[in-house]
């Protein structure tokens, strides 16, 4: 799940998409934090420090929120709400594929709940678009992917992993959100990723990796997703 073409947990291979951009404005509603809210509360979801942030639920696949700063922990919690909005996610524009408005609404809610002063932060996104031939056994892909995911989680900064299922033509999308590009690179150097990379040519007909930047402005007043290479 990383720099190799089997899984998108990092991004050595890159192919830039045209700029895709969206915005969301914050509500003027104010919520007064409870006296019991604290910095510690930011780093727990449903009163637990370990967060299910992927389809895998075993211990080695859980994100420890205590390893993150406040902005990254809060976004990881909000990304629990992330879901696909359309069945053609394998080929649809990235920004239009997921419920980003709902994710940002949830982020604003928990930021206000904890009385946190959100500072502008950028995050690294990998979108892995692929096609498998009829000869590929999908369960084999799953085994490789799961091993790579555990490595990526252990490396740190891995906020969210989502993947779909191949359409009738074998096309699919998987995506990762990372604290930084450096974290994604670090997460893709283990033996599980090397094994997945070695198997790629026999498992996929073709693949493409796109990289994006998620920028969330001060106070979560607005946000945008742009091509990673575009300078601000």
């Amino acid at each position: 799940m990383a720099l190799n073409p089997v899984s998108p947990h990092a991004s050595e291979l890159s192919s830039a998409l045209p700029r895709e951009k969206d915005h969301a404005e914050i509500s003027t509603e104010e919520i007064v934090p409870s006296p019991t809210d604290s910095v510690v509360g930011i780093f727990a979801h449903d009163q637990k420090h370990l967060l299910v942030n992927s389809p895998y639920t075993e211990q080695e696949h859980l994100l420890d929120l205590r390893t993150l700063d406040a902005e990254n922990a809060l976004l990881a919690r909000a990304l629990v709400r992330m879901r696909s909005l359309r069945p053609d996610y394998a080929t649809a524009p990235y920004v239009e594929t997921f419920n980003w408005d709902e994710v940002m609404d949830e982020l604003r809610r928990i930021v206000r709940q904890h009385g946190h002063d959100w500072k502008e932060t950028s995050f690294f996104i990998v979108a892995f678009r692929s096609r498998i031939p009829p000869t590929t056994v999908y369960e084999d892909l799953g085994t490789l992917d799961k091993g790579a995911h555990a490595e990526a989680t252990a490396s740190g900064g891995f906020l969210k992993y989502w993947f779909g299922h191949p359409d009738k033509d074998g096309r699919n999308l998987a995506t990762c959100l990372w604290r930084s590009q450096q974290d994604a690179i670090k997460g893709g150097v283990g033996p599980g990723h090397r094994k997945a990379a070695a198997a790629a040519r026999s498992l996929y007909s073709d693949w493409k990796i796109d990289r994006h930047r998620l920028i969330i402005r001060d106070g979560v007043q607005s946000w945008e997703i742009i091509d990673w290479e575009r300078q601000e």
Side-chain angles (χ1 to χ4, degrees), residues 47-178:
Q47 300 182 331
K48 297 178 182 177
H49 293 298
L50 298 179
L51 179 71
V52 176
N53 67 339
S54 78
Y56 307 125
T57 59
E58 294 88 348
Q59 180 84 11
E60 63 269 26
H61 297 283
L62 304 184
L63 172 64
D64 189 339
L65 294 169
R66 295 167 295 183
T67 63
L68 304 170
D69 65 14
E71 273 73 16
N72 281 274
L74 289 164
L75 179 61
R77 291 173 56 187
L79 286 168
V80 170
R81 298 288 186 94
M82 181 177 171
R83 59 185 175 83
S84 173
L85 296 176
R86 49 195 296 172
D88 62 341
Y89 48 73
T91 57
Y94 188 82
V95 174
E96 298 174 14
T97 297
F98 298 102
N99 61 329
W100 296 109
D101 286 336
E102 182 180 345
V103 170
M104 295 303 159
D105 284 344
E106 175 65 5
L107 178 59
R108 295 186 190 100
R109 185 191 69 79
I110 57 180
V111 164
R112 293 195 299 264
Q113 174 188 343
H114 295 292
H116 180 66
D117 182 18
W118 177 280
K119 299 300 184 183
E120 179 174 318
T121 309
S122 293
F123 306 89
F124 182 62
I125 296 176
V126 178
F128 178 69
R129 299 182 187 273
S130 63
R131 184 173 58 169
I132 59 173
T135 54
T136 292
V137 179
Y138 195 61
E139 288 74 16
D140 292 344
L141 283 177
T143 299
L144 291 168
D145 186 73
K146 194 169 186 179
H149 182 272
E151 285 183 354
T153 299
S155 72
F158 191 14
L159 306 182
K160 181 68 178 181
Y161 180 47
W162 181 97
F163 62 82
H165 296 279
D167 64 14
K168 61 182 179 61
D169 298 315
R171 296 172 301 185
N172 199 8
L173 170 68
T175 189
C176 300
L177 284 88
W178 290 87

Side-chain angles (χ1 to χ4, degrees), residues 7 14-15 17 20 23 25 28 31 33 44 53 58 89-90 93 127 132 140 153 162-163 169 171 190 209 218 223 230:
S7 48
S14 67
S15 184
L17 288 177
E20 297 169 355
H23 292 275
E25 298 302 324
T28 57
I31 298 178
N53 67 339
E58 294 88 348
Y89 48 73
I132 59 173
D140 292 344
T153 299
W162 181 97
F163 62 82
D169 298 315
R171 296 172 301 185
I209 295 179
D218 287 351
W223 61 275
R230 187 173 75 81

